Amino acid sequence: MGVSPMIWGITLVVILALLAFDYFFHIRKAHVPSLREAAIWSSIYVGLALVFGVLVLVFGGIDMGAEYFAGYITEKALSVDNLFVFLIIIASFRVPREDQQKVLLFGIVFSLIARTAFIFVGAALINQFAWVFYLFGLILLLTAGNLLKKDDESDEANNFIIRIAKKLFHTTDNYDGDKLFTKIDGKKVLTPMLLVMVAIGGTDILFALDSIPAIFGLTQNVYIVFTATAFSLMGLRQLYFLLDGLLDRLIYLSYGLAAILAFIGVKLILHALHENNLPFINDGEHVMVIEISTGLSLSVIIGVLVLTILASLFSKAGKAQTAIGNLRRHANSYNDLSYTSDAVERERIYRALVEEEAYVKTMEKKYRDKAKDVDKIRVEVAEAHRQHDEYLKS
């Protein structure tokens, strides 16, 4: 089913309006969003995506609706995986808590721009060259393999672009609110705020290289690809604060995403064989193979994600990793005086640290000992207690 230019126009206006609303009513004034605020707005954005899906189902038909929901769920899952990297980058640059929302919104907008560009390039290639399905399928299979062997959380902030920027331009290690530039001794210098946005922008491009082939494996309708991608990114900022501290618990998410991407990769290659026109494969003739329906794809994606999330949430290893990761993050945040200037926020962090520490002590020793740098974590927690004691005495 084709989509008229008017529908395209209305859709673009709605998406731009949502982004503008997010900036002017939530981001413009730096603040730390409460759990309630994050939960309400996360629900609103998911609700809007579901309502849009129902409209597609009603006006576009069952197949188009199923393609949208399959694409939306897949892209949303991949977006949650993006949050892990955003978390590492933000922590690496020690972005003040009050300004993290602005960094995240930039990441979302840049990701939407990058993915839109890849969508139209991918659509043009598919229309001209059927063999692109082979390439997309291979990319997804390789990505799935990389997810399975991903062990360490590398310093995503220390990438090539950042090292070049630091060598070519004057930079400072200190923030000046949310400013991208500041003056030191009368000279204009880059702040870490600009560098962290560059780091997030660079990773957004890499994520687009994985996510766009994934959704093209579910539908070749450019309108569905674009809207499913756009709505999956909407509300990602609120989801970050809602899941803050819980992301570490999803220890099997990489395995689930690897299974989904591998499944879509196989689906793409089967479709490529069905549409084959490469002369060295079956003499350029179509290959009679089974094609995976959109309904089956949607069922597999939902099933894998549900199993992955349940296995992560009910795993003792997952609970231990979450608690220890939270304990370390709270200690680092409390010890870093530049993290936030809000006394209420610092007190909240300390209370969370104390609660997490008490919970960790109730766990079996074998799970506690699996944590990386356990001795270093104990030192950081002890330092947080010392700083809090000094604060109470002052």
Side-chain angles (χ1 to χ4, degrees):
M1 175 185 172
V3 178
S4 69
M6 185 180 73
I7 297 298
W8 266 104
I10 293 172
T11 304
L12 291 172
V13 168
V14 169
I15 289 171
L16 291 174
L18 288 172
L19 290 172
F21 177 83
D22 214 12
Y23 176 77
F24 286 106
F25 289 92
H26 293 120
I27 307 298
R28 202 171 184 184
K29 183 179 179 181
H31 72 286
V32 180
S34 65
L35 187 64
R36 182 173 179 273
E37 177 186 339
I40 289 173
W41 284 104
S42 290
S43 302
I44 288 173
Y45 279 111
V46 171
L48 288 173
L50 295 178
V51 169
F52 180 82
V54 171
L55 292 175
V56 172
L57 197 66
V58 171
F59 294 103
I62 294 176
D63 289 341
M64 198 170 174
E67 288 176 357
Y68 168 80
F69 281 112
Y72 172 74
I73 293 170
T74 300
E75 291 296 307
K76 197 69 175 178
L78 290 170
S79 296
V80 171
D81 197 42
N82 291 18
L83 292 182
F84 283 96
V85 179
F86 286 173
L87 186 67
I88 295 169
I89 292 174
I90 287 172
S92 299
F93 280 99
R94 298 191 174 190
V95 179
R97 184 74 165 174
E98 294 88 349
D99 296 317
Q100 289 180 6
Q101 292 198 90
K102 188 164 291 186
V103 172
L104 289 167
L105 183 61
F106 168 83
I108 291 167
V109 172
F110 191 89
S111 182
L112 183 57
I113 293 170
R115 294 185 190 201
T116 300
F118 279 113
I119 286 169
F120 286 101
V121 170
L125 287 173
I126 286 172
N127 290 333
Q128 293 294 322
F129 310 105
W131 57 262
V132 170
F133 287 113
Y134 287 114
L135 179 61
F136 281 2
L138 182 60
I139 288 173
L140 293 183
L141 291 175
L142 291 174
T143 302
N146 288 332
L147 283 172
L148 290 177
K149 67 179 184 181
K150 184 172 65 178
D151 297 320
D152 301 320
E153 291 185 344
S154 60
D155 185 1
E156 297 287 345
N158 189 27
N159 61 35
F160 177 74
I161 297 175
I162 295 302
R163 292 197 297 271
I164 292 295
K166 286 183 175 180
K167 287 182 179 180
L168 295 179
F169 304 102
H170 294 292
T171 62
T172 176
D173 293 330
N174 300 317
Y175 286 90
D176 185 6
D178 59 1
K179 294 179 181 178
L180 304 181
F181 299 90
T182 189
K183 284 190 175 182
I184 296 180
D185 298 328
K187 293 182 179 180
K188 198 173 187 179
V189 296
L190 302 178
T191 69
M193 184 62 71
L194 181 58
L195 295 179
V196 70
M197 288 185 175
V198 171
I200 283 183
T203 56
D204 278 336
I205 293 174
L206 295 177
F207 279 123
L209 291 172
D210 296 335
S211 71
I212 298 309
I215 193 168
F216 268 118
L218 299 168
T219 176
Q220 283 83 59
N221 186 316
V222 177
Y223 182 77
I224 295 299
V225 172
F226 173 75
T227 52
T229 301
F231 277 107
S232 73
L233 293 171
M234 294 290 145
L236 197 60
R237 175 184 63 80
Q238 292 86 350
L239 190 64
Y240 174 91
F241 290 98
L242 182 62
L243 296 182
D244 187 18
L246 295 179
L247 287 173
D248 290 337
R249 181 175 292 188
L250 301 178
I251 60 174
Y252 301 123
L253 180 63
S254 292
Y255 297 101
L257 288 176
I260 290 171
L261 293 180
F263 170 78
I264 298 174
V266 170
K267 182 178 185 292
L268 271 172
I269 292 174
L270 289 174
H271 182 71
L273 289 169
H274 190 269
E275 301 291 328
N276 179 64
N277 57 11
L278 293 179
F280 53 86
I281 297 178
N282 198 35
D283 294 326
E285 298 295 325
H286 301 333
V287 181
M288 298 302 294
V289 293
I290 296 173
E291 286 219 77
I292 300 171
S293 68
T294 303
L296 178 59
S297 299
L298 183 58
S299 301
V300 170
I301 291 165
I302 293 175
V304 170
L305 283 177
V306 169
L307 288 174
T308 298
I309 292 170
L310 290 178
S312 297
L313 293 179
F314 291 100
S315 161
K316 288 185 178 180
K319 291 179 181 179
Q321 183 168 314
T322 302
I324 294 169
N326 288 343
L327 184 62
R328 182 174 199 170
R329 183 158 55 250
H330 294 320
N332 285 336
S333 298
Y334 193 84
N335 293 335
D336 183 6
L337 297 178
S338 65
Y339 177 72
T340 180
S341 57
D342 188 343
V344 175
E345 172 66 8
R346 282 182 63 77
E347 186 59 34
R348 183 195 70 79
I349 294 170
Y350 185 76
R351 286 199 308 272
L353 182 148
V354 171
E355 291 172 4
E356 213 68 69
E357 186 180 22
Y359 179 57
V360 168
K361 288 179 179 177
T362 66
M363 294 177 175
E364 294 179 44
K365 190 173 183 298
K366 64 179 180 180
Y367 294 117
R368 295 203 307 265
D369 290 345
K370 285 184 178 180
K372 295 179 182 178
D373 303 324
V374 64
D375 292 330
K376 188 177 179 181
I377 294 173
R378 291 192 181 108
V379 171
E380 291 167 348
V381 171
E383 175 61 19
H385 286 307
R386 187 192 68 76
Q387 284 197 26
H388 189 69
D389 290 341
E390 287 188 358
Y391 169 74
L392 293 177
K393 292 176 183 177
S394 61

